[in-house]
Amino acid sequence: MGKSKVLVVGGTGYIGRRIVKASLAQGHETYVLQRPDIGLDIDKLQMLLSFKKQGAHLIEASFSDHHSLVEAVKRVDVVICTISGVHFRSHNITMQLKLVDAIREAGNVKRFLPSEFGIDPARMENALEPGRVTFDEKMVVRRAIQEAKIPFTYVSANCFAGYFAGNLSQMVTLLPPKEKVCIYGDGNVKVVFMDEDDIATYTIKTIDDPRTINKTVYLRPPENILTQRQLVEIWEKLAGKQLEKVHIPNDQFLATMKEMDYAGQVGVGHFHHIFFEGCLTNFEIGEGQEEASKLYPEVKYTRMDDYLKQYL
């Protein structure tokens, strides 16, 4: 069997652009959806043109034009959607229902990977408001996929290093703190930090793998399972400087929600589940699930000591 043809929806986004590069790097004929209403967004247009130079095909289609989506989907074997689900940027998770309809009508897609890539929503039925909307909407999309009998793979990539590691998991910055660091609780809850390029590499590895069809694939490379304290210690060793640790109890952390806008409240809820409850690591990977680094030991994933060096 040859390599699948891949359509990336959301290819100019934070994870999407990496998925496109990984798909090309692994030898897949790669299509990138181009919205006809791109208008004056020069950054996105130039990124799309750069993909074209690298060998990708640009295919014009729109969520507001069902026929165009169906025609785009008919060109490929695998569809990967990477549209944003974070509230401080844009939140478009349920738009994927239109993509599900197009895939069902086209009838040719061998695998659909919806926009997931974070916490597994199937484990978040008791998540706090308002942040639970992210998980609820992802589950709506999952149910639609399964009702349409579309073969799928769900990728749970845990914490993007750019948002959670470089800043030592601080909420108000993307850079490492210089003097003091907020520690959630005792800082000893296990978290999984992933280099975003590795997320893309593992994701593309799954698409032609019969072991991952109709399963959730967790990205949990063992050396990237770290507590917040361990992450801070790695940075302190690299920077040659000790930071003042300010411990924040759970109740105090949740109380900060009252002063925040909607996006901030969503963020606090998600941080609570990750750093206080340990939602990324407090379960065993079981039936109907796989772990990426075990499936693909050949991938030389980025450890956080190497990742953090770029901030020095």
Side-chain angles (χ1 to χ4, degrees), residues 23-151:
S23 180
L24 290 168
Q26 293 182 42
H28 293 273
E29 188 172 345
T30 304
Y31 294 76
V32 185
L33 187 140
Q34 176 181 322
R35 297 196 325 269
D37 58 345
I38 196 167
L40 297 176
D41 195 329
I42 189 67
D43 292 331
K44 286 189 176 181
L45 176 58
Q46 289 186 344
M47 192 183 304
L48 287 166
L49 293 174
S50 76
F51 293 153
K52 190 176 177 182
K53 283 183 182 178
Q54 295 168 55
H57 308 284
L58 305 183
I59 184 164
E60 192 168 285
S62 169
F63 280 95
S64 60
D65 180 350
H66 174 72
H67 177 72
S68 72
L69 276 183
V70 173
E71 290 304 304
V73 164
K74 283 181 178 179
R75 303 277 293 274
V76 299
D77 310 300
V78 172
V79 177
I80 304 174
C81 188
T82 63
I83 61 177
S84 177
V86 293
H87 285 79
F88 61 87
R89 296 182 71 167
S90 58
H91 185 79
N92 302 310
I93 292 297
T94 55
M95 282 178 63
Q96 293 179 101
L97 296 174
K98 295 181 178 181
L99 191 53
V100 171
D101 287 342
I103 292 170
R104 177 171 50 193
E105 182 172 326
N108 62 291
V109 169
K110 297 189 295 188
R111 193 87 62 104
F112 177 40
L113 282 68
S115 187
E116 298 245 349
F117 305 107
I119 302 170
D120 180 2
R123 297 186 176 276
M124 302 305 293
E125 63 272 12
N126 297 316
L128 296 175
E129 297 281 6
R132 67 169 299 126
V133 65
T134 303
F135 313 118
D136 290 345
E137 290 184 355
K138 287 181 178 180
M139 290 306 295
V140 167
V141 174
R142 283 192 181 192
R143 285 191 288 272
I145 292 167
Q146 288 162 219
E147 286 170 7
K149 295 182 169 55
I150 298 168

Side-chain angles (χ1 to χ4, degrees), residues 184 186-191 226-229 273-279 281:
Y184 306 113
D186 61 11
N188 291 325
V189 171
K190 294 285 187 181
V191 180
L226 303 166
T227 66
Q228 189 193 8
R229 272 187 169 278
H273 296 305
I274 293 167
F275 292 100
F276 289 97
E277 293 185 344
C279 69
T281 58

Side-chain angles (χ1 to χ4, degrees), residues 239-264:
K241 179 180 180 180
Q242 296 291 305
L243 298 175
E244 178 189 349
K245 281 79 172 177
V246 180
H247 290 266
I248 304 177
N250 191 27
D251 291 348
Q252 180 184 332
F253 182 69
L254 289 176
T256 63
M257 266 196 193
K258 299 172 186 174
E259 304 156 11
M260 294 189 170
D261 61 11
Y262 184 84

Side-chain angles (χ1 to χ4, degrees), residues 147-158:
E147 286 170 7
K149 295 182 169 55
I150 298 168
F152 62 84
T153 298
Y154 304 139
V155 177
S156 177
N158 300 302

